Amino acid sequence: MAEFTMELSDEQKEVRDWLHGFAADVIRPAAAEWDEREETPWPVIQEAAKVGIYSLDFYAQQYFDPTGLGIPMAMEELFWGDAGIALSIVGTGLAAVGVLANGTEEQIGTWIPQMYGDANDVKVAAFCSSEPDAGSDVASMRTRAVYDEAKDEWVLSGTKTWATNGGIANVHVVVAVVDPDLGSKGHASFIVPPNTPGLSQGQKFKKHGIRASHTAEVVLDNVRVPGSCLLGGKEKLDARLARAREKAKKGGERVKNAAMATFEASRPAVGAMAVGTARAAYEVALEYAQTREQFGRPIIDNQGVAFQLADMRTSIDAARLLVWRASWMAINGKPFTAAEGSMSKLFASETAKKVTAQAVQILGGNGYTREYPVERMHRDSAIYTIFEGTSEIQRLVIARTLAGMPIR
């Protein structure tokens, strides 16, 4: 087990600086254009693939970093560049985490490479969990998966929403209900291979922020997938469902479902994204405050501005500490006994919203225009308190964990 440390190794620093350079030289100059276009920035994703950032190898190296800091470090640097473009680059990772968390070694080896493609033929993947009537309330999920034993196929029907890369993905990972009587415990995850009949893109959403990231509904109309596309396999699913039914008879105990396993693994990473956006806005505000003069002196000489910057930097560093702690705990198998993963996501998300708002305020009228990036950063930051569990849900998870109550 790696010891927890705040000091990055020389190799980690080299990777961090490389990512920062890509974010500064490639992502940030393209940010305003793709935000305005509200389209997937395929040329930027391709550039990321060419240098090795958008690839299974890079993702795996960071994911399996024994310190746990590889993924949060990468997320912070890329999202420092721009949240919308960065989400287009890393959005496939959520689907990959879904396979890593629930799939067999064969499924991992088969499907994750197809999620990324290569530098000459870039692909993306989508993780599909939320539904029009089932966002935070996963127990209300209606998308069904019915097993056709004669053909060894699963038949998926329903509508998913808020899916990053939904409909344009090469591979979709879909969470569906296999046993309605078990609520959220009766869910399973499925791979929907490329060009599978019955899967189509529904509404594409026009969003307040992260506009360079494609978000859409995914419609599943009697989609048939081979039995081998059930993540983890049917034997494992049957055993898990049997345990859930038995525990339900005894009064019910907490059993993780497929979607929650994915979100637990990814929440600290979302926190790191928020840290990256907050840090970017803080740096713009700091530079502006040092160079902008009013009444014959830089505005940072005013306590009202200086104290805001002090609070901004303090909150950013505190958020990073929570994210790194949760990431270290996760990679080293330490249980989140106080919902440390949710803590990191909650605090970092709220920090990003507050810090970007303060940055706009420090820049004044300039901060409210699109001539300065803090306007975009402020819009982008709103998503962190919403996706992969709202701040309210994070507080609920933390409170129920502290009270020893089950998390549904």
Side-chain angles (χ1 to χ4, degrees):
M1 181 178 69
E3 292 186 3
F4 181 72
T5 176
M6 293 299 296
E7 182 64 31
L8 297 176
S9 67
D10 290 341
E11 183 179 355
Q12 288 172 322
K13 290 177 182 177
E14 185 177 342
V15 172
R16 179 199 60 192
D17 294 345
W18 171 55
L19 290 168
H20 186 79
F22 183 85
D25 298 339
V26 181
I27 294 178
R28 187 164 283 190
E33 175 189 351
W34 292 99
D35 177 71
E36 291 287 347
R37 291 175 63 168
E38 298 192 51
E39 297 175 358
T40 301
W42 291 107
V44 183
I45 299 174
Q46 188 170 33
E47 287 300 311
K50 286 179 180 178
V51 300
I53 293 174
Y54 186 77
S55 70
L56 172 59
D57 288 344
F58 174 75
Y59 189 83
Q61 288 173 11
Q62 305 315 309
Y63 186 85
F64 292 110
D65 180 338
T67 69
L69 302 185
I71 288 294
M73 180 184 65
M75 295 300 107
E76 180 176 339
E77 294 304 327
L78 293 173
F79 280 74
W80 172 90
D82 176 68
I85 292 178
L87 190 57
S88 289
I89 293 172
V90 307
T92 292
L94 185 58
V97 168
V99 177
L100 286 168
N102 303 295
T104 64
E105 289 187 8
E106 182 179 356
Q107 289 170 330
I108 292 170
T110 298
W111 294 111
I112 293 184
Q114 294 187 49
M115 294 179 174
Y116 289 91
D118 56 49
N120 296 317
D121 187 19
V122 170
K123 306 291 186 183
V124 294
F127 183 76
C128 307
S129 177
S130 294
E131 298 183 1
D133 297 318
S136 299
D137 183 11
V138 294
S140 297
M141 190 178 294
R142 295 180 181 177
T143 297
R144 290 294 308 274
V146 178
Y147 184 57
D148 184 341
E149 189 171 359
K151 295 184 178 180
D152 185 27
E153 291 179 339
W154 288 90
V155 184
L156 280 61
S157 298
T159 299
K160 295 295 182 179
T161 194
W162 309 121
T164 298
N165 298 329
I168 66 170
N170 194 49
V171 176
H172 291 75
V173 178
V174 177
V175 182
V177 179
V178 294
D179 189 333
D181 295 334
L182 292 176
S184 62
K185 303 176 184 68
H187 296 175
S189 290
F190 299 84
I191 292 286
V192 180
N195 304 314
T196 299
L199 185 147
S200 62
Q201 178 184 308
Q203 176 186 5
K204 177 186 174 182
F205 296 104
K206 296 180 72 67
K207 305 186 299 295
H208 174 65
I210 56 166
R211 300 197 304 195
S213 173
H214 176 96
T215 310
E217 291 181 332
V218 174
V219 180
L220 303 149
D221 183 11
N222 291 318
V223 173
R224 286 184 169 268
V225 299
S228 59
C229 287
L230 166 65
L231 290 179
K234 194 166 187 307
E235 183 177 342
K236 182 178 178 180
L237 173 65
D238 288 343
R240 177 167 64 81
L241 294 178
R243 289 196 302 271
R245 294 184 188 106
E246 185 62 28
K247 289 175 180 177
K249 291 179 182 178
K250 295 179 180 180
E253 295 181 28
R254 186 167 41 175
V255 178
K256 290 181 181 178
N257 63 68
M260 286 300 294
T262 300
F263 291 140
E264 283 183 8
S266 63
R267 275 173 179 161
V270 175
M273 298 173 188
V275 171
T277 299
R279 189 183 111 211
Y282 158 77
E283 290 176 0
V284 173
L286 176 62
E287 181 180 5
Y288 187 88
Q290 290 171 323
T291 57
R292 172 70 167 174
E293 291 190 0
Q294 290 286 282
F295 304 104
R297 61 181 182 176
I299 64 173
I300 198 171
D301 285 355
N302 299 306
Q303 282 189 349
V305 174
F307 283 7
Q308 282 194 76
L309 289 163
D311 288 343
M312 291 159 74
R313 177 59 186 267
T314 300
S315 296
I316 291 167
D317 283 9
R320 186 184 296 108
L321 278 166
L322 286 172
V323 167
W324 282 20
R325 179 185 69 167
S327 301
W328 174 81
M329 291 176 68
I331 199 67
N332 286 287
K334 298 280 189 180
F336 288 163
T337 55
E340 287 86 351
S342 288
M343 280 186 185
S344 70
K345 199 264 186 186
L346 169 65
F347 190 80
S349 298
E350 295 292 340
T351 292
K353 281 189 68 175
K354 183 177 181 180
V355 166
T356 56
Q358 288 174 308
V360 170
Q361 190 69 23
I362 289 171
L363 269 68
N366 287 330
Y368 199 65
T369 71
R370 295 187 185 181
E371 297 300 314
Y372 287 79
V374 293
E375 179 273 340
R376 185 180 65 254
M377 295 168 183
H378 184 43
R379 285 189 286 108
D380 290 342
S381 69
I383 194 60
Y384 300 126
T385 62
I386 297 172
F387 72 175
E388 293 198 47
T390 64
S391 288
E392 292 74 22
I393 288 297
Q394 305 308 323
R395 292 184 175 98
L396 180 64
V397 169
I398 295 166
R400 294 182 74 88
T401 300
L402 295 177
M405 300 171 67
I407 301 170
R408 294 188 291 272

